[in-house]
Amino acid sequence: MKLLEERIKKDGVVKEGNVLKVDSFLNHQMDIELFEEMAKEWQKLFENKPINKILTIEASGIGIAAIVANVFKVPVVFAKKAQSINLDGEMYTTQIESFTHKKIYNVIVSKKFLNEDDHILIIDDFLANGCALNGLIDIIQQSGGKIEGIGIAIEKGFQKGGNELRKQGYQLESLAIIDSMNASSGEIIFRKTK
Ligand code: 5GP
């Protein structure tokens, strides 16, 4: 998506350790007009899918997913990071390793908000190694719901998550895919998409 690529070029900052900072428009200060354009793009890309729910993970997925939910006119659920897991059977639980914080989180979703009748679009800000998405997929599989697709704002195409998920057959639509980026020059190269 040209608009997002241009914004990344203008305001994104490449950091050491394969980290792209986009906190001026995506995951700290948030440009809601941009999110609306992104949501409309996903609406086109998933127009033939019977999506009735959006799933994301706190914290940085929530802002984008909320705008997407508004465009799709469906509810949005976010998976919560929990200190401890209460094993009373009311929650789906999984574990996710954070790319940015190098920590393992317990993640929960209440069984009240996800079940076998749901047709789910997963939304998140970044895709790197795929740990966050694999955790969300695990939770949906526990619920018996159907994964209709995955929408990602920025995929770092040089990390393994995207390839692995496409191989598994998911419709993964990343609005910007970075093939390479360089912390010393600041250069960012995007993959050519259709
Ligand atoms: P994964 O689980 O795919 O390895 O990493 C995805 C998660 O890590 C995203 O939800 C995002 O919050 C965070 N993340 C991964 N790479 C980056 C990055 O380059 N910049 C920022 N700001 N967050 C990232």
Side-chain angles (χ1 to χ4, degrees), residues 17-23 26-27 57-61 81 96-101 124-134 154 156 158-159 161-162 165 181:
N18 283 334
V19 171
L20 176 68
K21 268 196 99 121
V22 284
D23 57 356
L26 200 82
N27 53 20
I57 178 162
E58 72 175 354
S60 50
K81 291 172 182 160
I96 291 178
E97 189 182 343
S98 156
F99 173 82
T100 33
H101 301 114
D124 205 3
D125 59 342
F126 270 93
L127 170 56
N129 290 319
C131 303
L133 286 182
N134 284 327
I154 305 172
K156 293 188 291 182
F158 51 87
Q159 291 180 266
L165 289 159
M181 58 187 200

Side-chain angles (χ1 to χ4, degrees), residues 3-166:
L3 188 67
L4 179 61
E5 290 182 5
E6 277 162 15
R7 190 60 178 271
I8 295 168
K9 280 212 158 124
K10 182 165 149 281
D11 292 330
V13 180
V14 184
K15 298 276 182 190
E16 292 296 340
N18 283 334
V19 171
L20 176 68
K21 268 196 99 121
V22 284
D23 57 356
S24 65
F25 63 97
L26 200 82
N27 53 20
H28 191 11
Q29 177 168 256
M30 299 186 288
D31 182 339
I32 302 302
E33 279 186 31
L34 173 67
F35 289 8
E36 269 171 8
E37 293 308 312
M38 290 161 53
K40 286 186 213 156
E41 188 73 17
W42 280 314
Q43 196 178 31
K44 276 189 245 157
L45 292 164
F46 293 109
E47 70 179 346
N48 52 350
K49 297 286 178 88
I51 291 158
N52 75 332
K53 200 161 281 184
I54 307 293
L55 179 68
T56 189
I57 178 162
E58 72 175 354
S60 50
I62 297 176
I64 302 169
I67 303 300
V68 174
N70 192 38
V71 166
F72 279 70
K73 298 295 172 223
V74 298
V76 53
V77 176
F78 65 93
K80 291 187 169 198
K81 291 172 182 160
Q83 289 303 334
S84 60
I85 289 181
N86 182 348
L87 293 171
D88 58 10
E90 288 173 8
M91 302 278 179
Y92 306 114
T93 66
T94 194
Q95 290 199 318
I96 291 178
E97 189 182 343
S98 156
F99 173 82
T100 33
H101 301 114
K102 309 269 179 271
K103 236 180 98 175
I104 293 180
Y105 291 97
N106 296 310
V107 172
I108 57 168
V109 171
S110 168
K111 289 185 178 172
K112 280 187 287 193
F113 304 129
L114 219 52
N115 62 51
E116 67 274 11
D117 296 327
D118 284 321
H119 292 258
I120 298 141
L121 173 62
I122 302 175
I123 293 287
D124 205 3
D125 59 342
F126 270 93
L127 170 56
N129 290 319
C131 303
L133 286 182
N134 284 327
L136 293 178
I137 289 168
D138 180 26
I139 281 180
I140 295 171
Q141 284 170 343
Q142 291 174 44
S143 80
K146 177 152 194 261
I147 298 165
E148 295 291 352
I150 304 170
I152 295 292
I154 305 172
E155 175 180 336
K156 293 188 291 182
F158 51 87
Q159 291 180 266
K160 66 180 166 70
N163 277 351
E164 287 186 356
L165 289 159
R166 287 190 183 90

